[in-house]
């Protein structure tokens, strides 16, 4: 039985079309006529519209209104002074060369360099110099005649320094990085804390040119795997003695570093990035008296975690301490590399709150973390505004966070005041405020140098050795507040490139103006004499504090002149720049004024004293216990 194919309706439709086709011719004709009529009407309408658009029309009358420009602010003419510096390194007897330990493996600590400190270790009234050094790695089998050690130079006056390291107790070899100066045992002699890759060291000043290693008895060595960088003595809990704040960088080991196998583009092995290493906590050592310290980091609130992952958030390289909000308690600011900066607001009783984010100093203006290294704090406008200066990585501008009065609210003024654009290209480590020409306005020193010796092969705008930079503060009433000082003004000795790292400032020759000490990674240090000849006047103050803090670290000094006007202020805080310490005495430039001045001091214990009619052009020593309270 055959099966009939299924019925297809499409065939029926085709059949109907074939059968009805002959009767539809008249219908098609009528439709064509209607279409032609519609098209003609549309063409007539379109033509009318086109004719209307193309026809000339009267133009509206244009009346020109006079333009009123904003009035231009009158500014005094800026005259850049000559600010020459002379390189005194060789003639002064400074022969220190930093040992990085580099032997081809390209291990990250080798790039970071060491620090320096200006302090009066022998109590003779002038500033001596200490340099920290790394050493050969334990696995390095290269022959060495004399292991690298720390270096102590005694200031003998008239720009002569004598190397007194041997027999000082500081002639020890370990991988030292940063240095802090402070009289932790209140015996009237400045002691030394040396940060390190590995266990840190605390040296007590014995007073006869010798230092004793008291690390074990003090309990401040830290862990064997720590990598400490900048550090500072500070009275964190307000009990009158000096505690110790220590920055830690990243979790590091040789094996971990080598396993990363970092490479330059088109080249060989390169130094690693901090992003590839885990973060750490800074540490706060509380001074419990009797030469003993206790780890108070957790209870003090300085152990910061990443809120998303819970891991340690810090990669700290720089620290500076100051009373940022005028509440009488010292706050701590930390510069972090590739992660947010920290601002530890002192709440009292040894407790801190990390507020860098809400305060506006954690990131750049676009909310990004930068490669932050060195740091300094100053009231560089001689008012209540506080400036936090931070040096950053290459192709990142230096930051200058400025507070609004005494509030913990900061804005980055680096672009608006001219400093930022001039610092974008360099890789900056050490930064310092210092009134180089003694006109009363703190200027800015930046010390620069790259990490990679071959960086110019892959980045034509970058160089391993880079010149230091000096920026003259020409005043807040100028459109550009900080002006770069050219080589023709500072001199070739200042401007000569080096792999710059740490920096410290001190009046090394007693003439009132600040001189500079600069360190170099794996190279010689540089000693720069300030030869400015502006004729400006000055006054210097050395404070002697109470029984627990003889150096008055944390005191706020306020200067008042007979002419009134601005009120310069300086905080006694030697921990500045990168892994370095500047002198304890404070200097005020007075410009053309030679009149006696009045000084008000708010001491670390909260007491205030007033000291009228102090003669200019000399160093005054002011003793807390002998001073009369301010009215």
């Amino acid at each position: 039985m055959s099966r009939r194919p299924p019925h297809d309706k499409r065939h029926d439709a085709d059949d109907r079309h074939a059968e009805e086709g002959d009767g539809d011719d008249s219908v098609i004709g009528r439709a064509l006529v209607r279409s032609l009529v519609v098209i003609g009407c549309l063409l007539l309408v379109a033509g009318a519209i086109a004719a209307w658009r193309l026809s000339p029309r009267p133009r509206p009358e244009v009346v020109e209104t006079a333009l009123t420009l904003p009035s231009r602010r009158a500014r005094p003419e800026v005259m850049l002074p000559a600010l020459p510096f002379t390189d005194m390194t060789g003639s002064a007897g400074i022969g220190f060369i930093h040992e990085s330990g580099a032997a081809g493996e390209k291990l990250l600590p080798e790039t970071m360099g060491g620090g320096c400190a200006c302090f009066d270790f022998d109590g003779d009234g002038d500033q001596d110099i200490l340099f920290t050094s790394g050493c050969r790695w334990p696995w390095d089998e290269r022959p060495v005649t004399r292991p690298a050690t720390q270096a102590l130079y005694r200031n003998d006056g008239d720009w002569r320094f004598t190397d007194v390291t041997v027999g000082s107790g500081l002639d020890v070899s370990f991988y030292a990085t940063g240095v802090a100066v402070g009289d932790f045992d209140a015996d009237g002699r400045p002691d030394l804390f040396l940060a390190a890759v590995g266990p840190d060291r605390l040296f007590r000043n014995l007073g006869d040119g010798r230092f004793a290693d008291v690390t074990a008895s003090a309990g401040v060595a830290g862990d064997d795997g720590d990598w400490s960088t900048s550090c500072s003595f500070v009275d964190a809990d307000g009990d009158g003695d000096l505690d110790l704040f220590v920055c830690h960088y990243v979790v590091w080991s040789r094996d971990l570093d080598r396993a990363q196998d970092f490479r330059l583009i088109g080249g060989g092995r390169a130094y690693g990035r901090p992003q590839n290493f885990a973060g750490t906590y800074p540490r706060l050592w509380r001074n419990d008296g009797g030469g003993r310290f206790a780890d108070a980091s957790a209870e003090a609130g300085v152990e910061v975690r990443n809120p998303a992952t819970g891991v340690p958030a810090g990669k700290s390289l720089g620290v500076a301490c100051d009373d940022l909000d005028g509440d009488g308690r010292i706050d701590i600011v930390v510069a972090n590399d590739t992660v947010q900066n920290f601002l530890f607001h002192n709440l009292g009783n040894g407790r801190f709150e990390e507020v860098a984010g809400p305060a506006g100093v954690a990131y750049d203006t676009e909310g990004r973390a930068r490669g932050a290294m060195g740091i300094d704090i100053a009231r560089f406008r001689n008012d209540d505004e506080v400036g936090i200066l931070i040096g950053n990585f290459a192709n990142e501008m230096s930051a200058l966070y400025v507070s609004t009065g005494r509030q913990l609210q900061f804005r980055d003024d680096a672009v608006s005041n001219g400093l930022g654009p001039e610092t974008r290209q360099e890789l900056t480590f050490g930064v310092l405020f210092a009134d180089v020409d003694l006109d009363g306005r703190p200027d800015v020193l930046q010390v620069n140098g790259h990490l990679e010796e071959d960086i110019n092969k892959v980045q034509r705008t970058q160089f391993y050795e880079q010149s230091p930079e000096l920026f003259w503060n020409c005043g807040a009433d100028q459109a550009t507040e900080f002006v770069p000082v050219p080589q023709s003004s500072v001199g070739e000795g200042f401007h000569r490139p080096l792999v710059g790292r740490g920096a410290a400032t001190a009046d090394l020759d007693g003439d009132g103006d600040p001189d500079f000490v600069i360190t170099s990674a794996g190279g010689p240090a540089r000693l720069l004499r300030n030869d400015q000849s502006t004729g400006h006047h000055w006054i210097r103050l050395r404070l002697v504090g109470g029984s627990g803090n003889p150096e008055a670290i944390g005191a706020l000094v306020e200067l008042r002149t007979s002419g009134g006007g601005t009120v310069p202020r300086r905080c006694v805080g030697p921990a500045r720049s990168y892994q370095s310490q500047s002198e304890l005495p404070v200097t005020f430039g007075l410009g053309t004024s030679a009149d006696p001045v009045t000084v008000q001091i708010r001491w670390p214990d909260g007491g205030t004293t007033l000291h009228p009619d102090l003669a200019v052009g000399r160093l005054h020593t002011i003793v807390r216990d002998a001073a009369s309270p301010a009215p």
Side-chain angles (χ1 to χ4, degrees):
M1 179 177 176
S2 63
R3 185 169 180 174
R4 184 179 177 177
H7 184 67
D8 191 343
K9 294 183 180 180
R10 290 176 297 179
H11 294 296
D12 292 344
D14 292 341
D15 292 344
R16 285 196 301 272
H17 181 72
E19 294 171 356
E20 297 174 359
D22 294 340
D24 284 344
D25 288 344
S26 60
V27 176
I28 295 172
R30 289 193 296 274
L32 179 61
V33 171
R34 287 196 296 269
S35 299
L36 292 174
V37 171
V38 171
I39 292 172
C41 293
L42 292 175
L43 291 175
L44 289 174
V45 172
I49 293 173
W52 177 79
R53 288 185 174 180
L54 296 175
S55 63
R57 297 188 301 277
R59 296 182 179 181
E61 183 181 359
V62 177
V63 179
E64 184 176 357
T65 303
L67 178 63
T68 303
L69 295 174
S71 59
R72 186 170 184 175
R73 183 176 63 177
R75 300 187 181 97
E77 183 179 359
V78 175
M79 298 295 292
L80 185 67
L83 301 173
F85 284 81
T86 301
D87 187 344
M88 302 295 293
T89 312
S91 61
I94 302 294
F96 172 77
I97 297 177
H98 176 262
E99 171 63 75
S100 69
E105 287 190 295
K106 297 249 177 166
L107 303 176
L108 187 56
E110 299 164 1
T111 69
M112 308 309 287
C116 57
C118 294
F119 72 121
D120 183 8
F121 83 89
D122 53 4
D124 64 354
D126 53 25
Q127 299 296 307
D128 310 298
I129 303 174
L130 173 83
F131 296 100
T132 67
S133 181
C135 62
R136 296 283 182 90
W137 296 111
W139 50 85
D140 189 344
E141 297 181 352
R142 292 177 297 167
V144 57
T145 56
R146 180 182 175 185
T149 70
Q150 320 319 307
L152 179 65
Y153 285 87
R154 186 185 65 225
N155 188 342
D156 291 333
D158 196 26
W159 286 99
R160 291 298 305 172
F161 289 80
T162 301
D163 187 342
V164 294
T165 309
V166 175
S168 68
L170 300 173
D171 48 347
V172 288
S173 184
F174 62 100
Y175 210 107
T177 54
V179 53
V181 179
D183 187 0
F184 78 89
D185 55 359
D187 64 356
R189 297 184 292 265
D191 308 302
L192 295 172
F193 177 85
L194 299 186
V197 179
D200 300 325
R201 306 286 185 94
L202 179 63
F203 294 91
R204 181 171 177 263
N205 190 338
L206 301 179
D208 55 357
R210 295 182 301 115
F211 290 79
D213 188 337
V214 295
T215 311
S217 60
V220 294
D223 299 328
D224 290 346
D226 287 345
W227 177 354
S228 304
T229 54
S230 293
C231 42
S232 176
F233 282 104
V234 57
D235 185 2
D237 52 8
D239 65 354
D241 56 20
L242 290 177
D243 310 300
L244 182 59
F245 187 92
V246 183
C247 293
H248 289 153
Y249 190 34
V250 295
V251 176
W252 179 86
S253 70
R254 180 195 185 195
D255 291 342
L256 179 61
D257 199 330
R258 287 166 55 88
Q260 304 295 325
D261 195 27
F262 300 102
R263 298 279 170 178
L264 281 176
I265 298 175
R269 177 169 167 80
Y271 287 108
R273 306 184 314 147
Q275 294 94 326
N276 293 71
F277 297 88
T280 58
Y281 298 129
R283 181 171 284 130
L284 179 62
W285 295 106
R286 185 186 64 236
N287 189 338
D288 287 342
R292 293 288 304 172
F293 289 79
D295 187 350
S297 309
E299 61 191 84
V302 301
E303 293 186 347
V304 182
R305 296 179 180 271
N306 184 309
T309 62
V311 301
K315 296 182 180 181
S316 305
L317 288 176
V319 62
C321 306
D322 203 311
D323 180 5
L324 300 179
D325 55 355
D327 63 359
R329 297 186 291 264
I330 298 298
D331 309 301
I332 301 172
V333 188
V334 176
N336 282 314
D337 189 5
T338 70
V339 296
Q340 73 166 76
N341 301 316
F342 297 150
L343 194 168
F344 294 110
H345 180 219
N346 195 330
L347 303 177
N349 298 320
R351 295 178 298 111
F352 292 83
E353 180 184 13
E354 203 291 298
V355 296
V361 302
Y363 305 102
D364 68 8
T365 55
E366 297 181 357
R368 296 174 300 192
R370 290 182 277 201
M373 265 73 77
I375 183 172
D376 197 5
I377 300 174
R379 292 153 184 81
F380 66 97
R381 291 174 179 158
N382 293 327
D383 55 18
D384 284 339
E385 294 183 335
V386 179
I388 301 173
L389 173 66
I390 298 179
N392 292 311
F393 202 78
N395 302 314
E396 297 176 340
M397 294 182 293
S398 293
L400 182 53
Y401 300 105
V402 182
S403 70
T404 304
R406 296 191 177 188
Q407 304 298 316
L408 285 179
Q409 292 292 324
F410 292 79
R411 64 188 182 277
D412 191 346
D413 279 359
V415 172
S416 62
N417 65 24
L419 184 66
E422 296 288 344
T423 61
R424 181 183 294 276
Q425 182 168 312
E426 286 73 21
L427 198 166
T428 301
F429 277 84
V431 294
L432 283 173
F433 284 107
D435 186 0
V436 172
D437 60 338
L438 301 175
D439 63 354
R441 299 185 298 263
D443 311 299
V444 167
L445 170 74
Q446 296 206 157
V447 176
N448 311 310
H450 213 282
L451 310 181
E452 288 289 347
E453 189 172 355
D454 296 328
I455 189 62
N456 186 247
K457 295 180 179 179
V458 294
Q459 295 185 37
R460 292 302 179 188
T461 61
Q462 289 298 317
F463 298 90
Y464 184 49
E465 294 183 333
Q466 300 180 8
S467 296
E469 297 172 288
L470 183 64
F471 295 88
W472 182 59
N473 183 346
C474 58
D477 59 340
Q478 301 300 312
T480 302
E481 194 168 357
F482 286 96
V483 178
V485 183
Q487 178 180 348
S488 59
S489 181
V490 296
E492 193 277 334
F494 177 99
H495 194 264
R496 191 171 66 254
L498 78 169
V499 189
R501 293 297 185 261
T505 181
D507 180 10
L508 295 173
D509 51 8
D511 64 355
D513 56 28
D515 308 297
F516 292 131
V517 183
I518 298 175
T519 68
S520 175
R526 184 172 300 175
L527 186 63
L528 295 170
R529 185 183 68 199
N530 186 344
D531 289 333
Q532 62 85 26
S533 57
T534 60
H536 289 158
H537 300 283
W538 52 272
I539 188 170
R540 285 169 49 78
L541 304 165
R542 172 179 173 265
L543 306 189
V544 180
S547 59
N549 182 5
E551 295 157 323
I553 292 176
L556 186 65
V557 185
E558 183 176 292
L559 185 72
R560 300 175 183 176
T561 62
S562 58
T566 60
V567 182
R569 298 178 178 89
R570 306 283 186 268
C571 182
V572 180
R576 307 162 59 190
S577 183
Y578 169 75
Q579 298 190 153
S580 300
Q581 303 275 288
S582 292
E583 65 174 350
L584 283 163
V586 295
T587 299
F588 289 92
L590 302 172
T592 58
S593 176
D595 297 333
V597 300
T598 295
V599 170
Q600 178 174 294
I601 302 172
R602 191 197 69 196
W603 298 88
D605 62 9
T608 302
T609 59
L610 196 66
H611 309 270
D613 299 323
L614 297 180
V616 304
R618 55 169 293 190
L619 170 67
H620 295 266
T621 297
I622 300 178
V623 181
R624 170 69 175 97
D625 295 337
S628 301

